[in-house]
Amino acid sequence: MSALHGKHPASLLLFFAILAPARAAAPPTELAWSLKSDPRSLDPAKVDDQAAETVRFLTGGVLLRLNRHTLQIEPSLASSWNTSRDGLLVTFHLRPGLLFSDGSPLTSAAVAASVKHVLDPATGAPVAAQFLSPQAVTVETPDPLTVRIHLPRRVVSVGKLFDEIAIEPSGPTTEGRVTSGSFTIAEYRRGQFIRLERNPRYWKHDPSGAALPYLRTIRLDILPNRETDQLRFSRGQYQLIDGLSADDFRHLAQTNPSSVHDLGPSLNTEQIWFNQSVSAPLPAWEKAWFANRAFRVAVSQAIHRADLARIAYDGHATPAGGFISPSNRDWYDTHLRLPPEGTSVAQQTLTGAGFKRVGASLLDPQGHPVKFSILTNAGNRSREKMAMLIQQDLAALGMQVNLVTLDFPALIERLMHTQAYECALLGLSSVDPDPGSMMNIWLSSSPNHQWNPSEKTPATPWEAEIDQQMRLLGASPDDEVRKQAIDTVQQIVADQQPFIYLVYPNMLYAVSPQLTGVDMTLLQPGVVSNIDWIHWKGDSI
């Protein structure tokens, strides 16, 4: 029995393994979930996509923080702030002893540099447009703890803008490696992951004096394939899913019902639009269709939005008529007049504009068959389903519609640079409840004015009216005037259909039972809005 003096036979090892009690799985050492794409920029001033918005929220220290539940502005790096009676001077008083994550002092000089970087036209910061006349804003620092910002025009809800301005050290951006927020970027491998580490010099503590945030590390995987989210969550590799798909919600509701949460209609929108850019490499007759209000209205009328919500979202969406969700009760226009929906009314609209049906095809007034492609991002099943349903709805009018799916970088290249597309289907995420934050979409001069970006002057009278009303919205101190202004914009958009709104997706989350302290909201980053307080169950804090 030489085995007694050496290695055990494989059969004995198997026997002992069967008898031995199973060991409990070790708890994860870092919180993990996924981003759907790489951030387009890690400069926090240039945030214009959801991935970059999430990274900025987790890493960027701000003067003021918007409470995602109460919608109140709360002090953060600034211990207090005030606005002059005329609204033209905003004064911040910093907390004493603030440090950046590398130990360098955070003073008014760094705040001034960060604000100036955002306002610099060369930066291209989306939030800059909300200052109305950003190049005329001046900043002064009378002492190391005081910052004064002089505005040429009153900006209503000015405090909210500073929730979007991360305070960085003076000089070139560190792209999140030196921060004043909860975490710093420790490692970034493009297309793979971003690893964050707790900022050891973060200013905030809990009531017992323990340093926040509680979590030590976070891993954000770059994962365009949403199907993998659900698989990794089920295996315990992820503890959160931010923006759960309807299909994955249904699956997890069957296997782990306590982990899924439907908060109802989000503030986000899904929409299609036609390319009206004069520089687009499209035939003249296509440009004429897309610039024709009747054509856009007819397309909108033909789309059966209830089917989109029911089929593409498994009922976890609400049909949309405009850019403000009914969940946004302060700004939603309950009296909005929308084009009537239906195939027959859409046909009448097209006939009135000179289009005619010949056999199975729709022809424009010059005899060109109406055919175009809808572009959307690959891997988003709800959008792909919506595109197929829209294809069917428009086929009933005689339109030949092709579907094209691209990975997100290639899609953005076409939309933002080459303009080589006809129609796009995408969504707007991270929507702020105050519509003043949408200046970068509705102002005709904005690069994010997607159907015709960066117009030197408004291309149409109705776009000029939108410009005027949005500036009124941003400048008037009178809430009634502001509401009337945004109602006017909502009605113009409903009449003109530059964006054809489809649905408001419900806000769907998955949260592991291993976590505590999660407090979800409709506003991004909804599942980690209180990241400082999230921790593992059983941890001593």
Side-chain angles (χ1 to χ4, degrees):
M1 302 293 291
S2 60
L4 295 176
H5 302 283
K7 296 180 180 179
H8 296 297
S11 58
L12 278 178
L13 291 173
L14 178 62
F15 176 75
F16 291 140
I18 292 172
L19 290 182
R23 292 185 178 180
T29 58
E30 62 184 3
L31 183 65
W33 74 95
S34 75
L35 303 175
K36 303 303 176 274
S37 65
D38 285 282
R40 288 203 284 272
S41 174
L42 287 178
D43 180 344
K46 297 181 179 180
V47 166
D48 67 348
D49 61 286
Q50 188 169 347
E53 173 72 21
T54 297
V55 173
R56 182 177 67 185
F57 184 89
L58 296 171
T59 61
V62 293
L63 294 171
L64 306 173
R65 179 61 83 195
L66 173 69
N67 184 307
R68 265 61 177 172
H69 278 291
T70 66
L71 304 186
Q72 298 301 306
I73 299 296
E74 299 173 348
S76 188
L77 295 176
S79 59
S80 64
W81 68 293
N82 59 75
T83 305
S84 62
R85 183 170 295 182
D86 62 6
L88 301 183
L89 173 63
V90 185
T91 304
F92 296 97
H93 302 283
L94 301 179
R95 298 177 189 276
L98 291 173
L99 299 173
F100 287 106
S101 57
D102 65 352
S104 60
L106 192 165
T107 66
S108 58
V111 174
S114 298
V115 172
K116 289 176 181 177
H117 176 55
V118 165
L119 297 174
D120 185 348
T123 303
V127 72
Q130 297 180 55
F131 283 87
L132 302 181
S133 300
Q135 296 182 55
V137 176
T138 59
V139 185
E140 62 179 8
T141 55
D143 62 62
L145 296 181
T146 305
V147 181
R148 293 176 182 156
I149 298 179
H150 297 268
L151 306 173
R153 302 166 61 186
R154 178 189 291 271
V155 178
V156 178
S157 302
V158 66
K160 179 183 63 62
L161 305 188
F162 292 94
D163 177 76
E164 301 180 48
I165 300 177
I167 306 305
E168 295 193 288
S170 301
T173 178
T174 69
E175 296 192 327
R177 296 186 182 275
V178 180
T179 76
S180 55
S182 305
F183 295 88
T184 66
I185 295 179
E187 186 178 6
Y188 177 27
R189 296 187 183 180
R190 187 167 184 83
Q192 298 182 48
F193 65 84
I194 302 172
R195 177 167 281 111
L196 308 180
E197 291 182 353
R198 181 170 67 178
N199 176 359
R201 297 178 176 86
Y202 187 48
W203 66 272
K204 194 181 291 187
H205 294 75
D206 72 8
S208 68
L212 295 175
Y214 292 132
L215 296 168
R216 292 185 177 276
T217 61
I218 291 174
R219 191 183 75 252
L220 304 172
D221 286 344
I222 312 301
L223 198 67
N225 186 347
R226 301 175 70 96
E227 294 179 5
T228 312
D229 264 349
Q230 185 266 129
L231 179 62
R232 294 187 182 183
F233 183 87
S234 297
R235 291 175 175 173
Q237 296 169 302
Y238 286 171
Q239 294 74 46
L240 301 170
I241 303 180
D242 182 11
L244 193 64
S245 72
D247 288 343
D248 287 345
F249 185 95
R250 181 177 63 252
H251 178 81
L252 286 174
Q254 295 168 349
T255 60
N256 193 354
S258 64
S259 70
V260 294
H261 307 269
D262 183 344
L263 273 61
S266 67
L267 305 189
N268 302 337
T269 57
E270 293 287 319
Q271 61 257 21
I272 63 171
W273 70 91
F274 291 101
N275 187 353
Q276 298 184 53
S277 173
V278 293
S279 62
L282 301 176
W285 61 85
E286 285 192 3
K287 291 183 178 181
W289 304 341
F290 303 156
N292 187 325
R293 172 186 173 274
F295 178 86
R296 299 192 302 269
V297 169
V299 169
S300 179
Q301 290 174 318
I303 296 172
H304 295 86
R305 290 165 174 79
D307 289 346
L308 304 185
R310 177 175 55 86
I311 298 172
Y313 286 87
D314 200 26
H316 296 288
T318 300
F323 60 91
I324 295 184
S325 165
S327 292
N328 194 353
R329 294 182 180 87
D330 288 344
W331 298 103
Y332 179 69
D333 184 0
T334 57
H335 303 292
L336 189 64
R337 301 180 304 280
L338 299 171
E341 185 178 301
T343 304
S344 61
V345 293
Q347 290 172 333
Q348 293 170 15
T349 302
L350 289 168
T351 299
F355 291 80
K356 58 185 176 181
R357 186 74 175 264
V358 177
S361 298
L362 181 71
L363 305 182
D364 71 10
Q366 285 71 46
H368 300 104
V370 177
K371 55 182 180 180
F372 58 86
S373 296
I374 297 178
L375 194 65
T376 194
N377 56 310
N380 188 311
R381 288 171 293 178
S382 293
R383 284 180 186 156
E384 290 173 353
K385 288 178 183 178
M386 282 197 294
M388 287 187 287
L389 291 167
I390 292 169
Q391 182 185 46
Q392 295 171 17
D393 288 339
L394 298 184
L397 298 177
M399 297 184 186
Q400 181 183 329
V401 178
N402 300 313
L403 308 182
V404 178
T405 59
L406 296 175
D407 62 65
F408 210 73
L411 179 64
I412 294 302
E413 175 68 17
R414 290 207 192 186
L415 298 182
M416 302 297 292
H417 302 293
T418 68
Q419 293 287 317
Y421 75 98
E422 294 161 310
C423 178
L425 191 166
L426 279 178
L428 190 63
S429 60
S430 303
V431 174
D432 190 288
D434 190 322
S437 65
M438 301 178 79
M439 292 283 182
N440 64 319
I441 293 171
W442 295 117
L443 290 182
S444 60
S445 58
S446 171
N448 291 317
H449 185 73
Q450 285 293 348
W451 70 90
N452 191 3
S454 302
E455 299 175 16
K456 293 183 179 179
T457 57
T460 61
W462 58 268
E463 286 173 287
E465 179 66 13
I466 288 178
D467 283 0
Q468 180 180 340
Q469 295 298 325
M470 289 302 295
R471 291 192 173 101
L472 182 60
L473 173 75
S476 176
D478 188 321
D479 288 342
E480 186 174 335
V481 171
R482 299 187 76 223
K483 181 64 167 70
Q484 185 175 352
I486 199 60
D487 283 354
T488 299
V489 174
Q490 290 181 77
Q491 191 59 61
I492 293 172
V493 172
D495 292 340
Q496 297 294 333
Q497 298 288 314
F499 286 130
I500 298 173
Y501 289 94
L502 306 172
V503 297
Y504 310 109
N506 285 12
M507 192 61 77
L508 308 177
Y509 297 127
V511 179
S512 168
Q514 293 176 298
L515 295 176
T516 189
V518 179
D519 190 11
M520 295 165 284
T521 73
L522 287 176
L523 302 186
Q524 286 296 321
V527 75
V528 291
S529 293
N530 63 327
I531 188 63
D532 290 347
W533 304 90
I534 296 175
H535 58 279
W536 304 105
K537 283 185 179 176
D539 275 2
S540 57
I541 56 175

